[in-house]
Amino acid sequence: MERTAKPSSSVASGRRTASPRAIAGGVAQRGRDESAFERNLHSQLAGRLGRDIVAGVYPPGSLLPSATEMCARFSVSRTALREAYSRLSAKALIVARPKIGTRVRANADWNLLDPEVLAWHLQARPTEHFVDDLFVLRQMVEPAAAALAASSRSPATVERIAEAYGRMDRFKNGAGDLIGADLDFHMGILEATENPFLAALGGLIQTALECTFQLSWQGAARIQDDRLLQHRRIFEAIRDHAPELARDRMAELLSESIGDVREFLRQREAKRTERVAP
C-alpha cells in the first residue's frame, strides 16, 4: 500500500518558512528603522526644548522640570530626553549638575554660531535687538567678502553670481524659489573669496540669510524693486573687478535691509497686539 507523504506544518498552513538570512535581514531592517525613529525623536525634542529656551519659556539660570515631569509632558522615554539634553548641552544651552538638576545656562554661554541655535532664535519670535546683532555680523563679513570677490579673476565666480541674480529677477514676484536664488547670490560671493575661514562661516550665514529674507520680505512673496537693483549693482561691481565699490554697495544693501526687517517686526507686533486687545 502506497503511503502519502505528510505535508509539513508550514506547507499545510500555506506559509513559507523564512530563511535564517531573511529573518536576520528583517531584524536588521527593523533595527535601522527604530534607530532612525529614535534619532528623529531626539532631534524633534531638542528642537522643541531649544526653541522654548531661547524664547524665555525656561529663562537663563532656571532649573528645568524634573526628568519624570518632562517625560510625561512630551510623552518620551528617559533615553530620548537624555539624548535631547545631550544635544542642548553640546550647544551650551543647558548644564546638568548632580543632585541639583538641569539648569539653563546664561545667554552669553550659548553657542550662537551653531546654525540650529540661530534658527531657533529666528523661529521663536525674534526681537529687534537680536536681529540688529545679527546684522552687525553680516555687516562685518559680507562687505569685505564682496570686495574679495571683486578681486577674483575667476570667470566661474562671476557666472555663478550672475546666474543667481538672473533667477532673483525672474522670481521677484514670487513665481519661483526667490529665497533660494538670493541665498545662492550671497553664498556665491562668500565662496568667491576663496578664503577657507569665510567659507567655514557659510552654514551660519546661510541660516541667517534665509531667516532674515523671510522676515524682510514678509514670507518671501516678492522682493522690492530697489533691493533687486542693489543686488544688480553689487554684481556689476564684482563683474567689473571694483573691490571698494562692491564693498560699499553691499554695506548699503545691508543697511537698507535691516530697516525692512525692523518694519516687518513692528507690523507683526502691532497685529499681535490688535488680536489680543479686548
Side-chain angles (χ1 to χ4, degrees):
M1 181 177 177
E2 186 175 331
R3 300 180 60 185
T4 303
K6 185 179 180 180
S8 67
S9 59
S10 60
V11 174
S13 61
R15 297 191 303 270
R16 295 183 60 190
T17 302
S19 68
R21 178 176 297 178
I23 293 173
V27 171
Q29 180 62 47
R30 286 196 300 274
R32 287 193 293 271
D33 291 345
E34 290 170 0
S35 178
F37 174 78
E38 286 296 324
R39 286 196 299 272
N40 189 47
L41 182 62
H42 304 160
S43 178
Q44 290 179 358
L45 182 56
R48 171 69 183 275
L49 293 173
R51 286 189 293 272
D52 284 349
I53 289 172
V54 301
V57 175
Y58 305 112
S62 66
L63 284 172
L64 294 179
S66 69
T68 300
E69 184 178 342
M70 294 294 265
C71 288
R73 178 179 301 178
F74 297 107
S75 299
V76 297
S77 67
R78 284 181 176 267
T79 299
L81 182 65
R82 185 164 54 249
E83 290 296 329
Y85 279 3
S86 178
R87 293 189 61 169
L88 297 177
S89 294
K91 301 175 189 299
L93 266 64
I94 61 175
V95 60
R97 292 283 186 259
K99 299 182 180 180
I100 296 178
T102 302
R103 189 181 299 277
V104 178
R105 298 181 64 166
N107 302 64
D109 296 335
W110 298 354
N111 183 8
L112 291 178
L113 294 178
D114 184 292
E116 278 191 310
V117 176
L118 176 60
W120 293 338
H121 273 89
L122 292 167
Q123 291 163 5
R125 194 175 293 279
T127 63
E128 272 194 53
H129 178 72
F130 179 80
V131 173
D132 284 349
D133 287 345
L134 182 57
F135 267 84
V136 168
L137 173 64
R138 290 188 63 186
Q139 283 279 18
M140 293 175 66
V141 173
E142 293 188 74
L148 288 172
S151 300
S152 172
R153 297 292 173 176
S154 168
T157 292
V158 176
E159 182 178 344
R160 175 179 176 181
I161 298 171
E163 191 275 336
Y165 173 77
R167 283 188 286 125
M168 289 184 66
D169 191 28
R170 291 200 307 276
F171 301 153
K172 63 183 179 181
N173 292 321
D177 186 7
L178 179 56
I179 283 184
D182 206 349
L183 279 172
D184 284 347
F185 182 90
H186 288 267
M187 296 301 292
I189 291 173
L190 282 174
E191 293 177 8
T193 65
E194 299 180 355
N195 184 305
F197 294 100
L198 284 176
L201 288 173
L204 172 64
I205 295 296
Q206 183 168 340
T207 302
L209 289 175
E210 185 171 7
C211 294
T212 52
F213 292 163
Q214 291 174 341
L215 293 174
S216 60
W217 304 343
Q218 301 190 36
R222 56 174 291 124
I223 185 172
Q224 299 175 26
D225 289 338
D226 51 351
R227 297 293 171 269
L228 186 63
L229 177 60
Q230 287 175 315
H231 281 78
R232 178 176 180 83
R233 294 176 67 225
I234 292 168
F235 159 67
E236 290 172 344
I238 292 173
R239 179 198 62 194
D240 297 340
H241 306 296
E244 291 309 312
L245 190 58
R247 183 197 306 273
D248 292 344
R249 288 178 175 177
M250 179 63 82
E252 179 186 15
L253 170 64
L254 294 176
S255 179
E256 297 290 338
S257 295
I258 182 60
D260 295 339
V261 175
R262 287 173 182 153
E263 179 60 26
F264 173 74
L265 292 176
R266 289 166 187 162
Q267 290 179 6
R268 187 172 69 177
E269 183 61 24
K271 290 178 181 177
R272 189 188 71 83
T273 302
E274 289 176 3
R275 287 197 300 268
V276 301

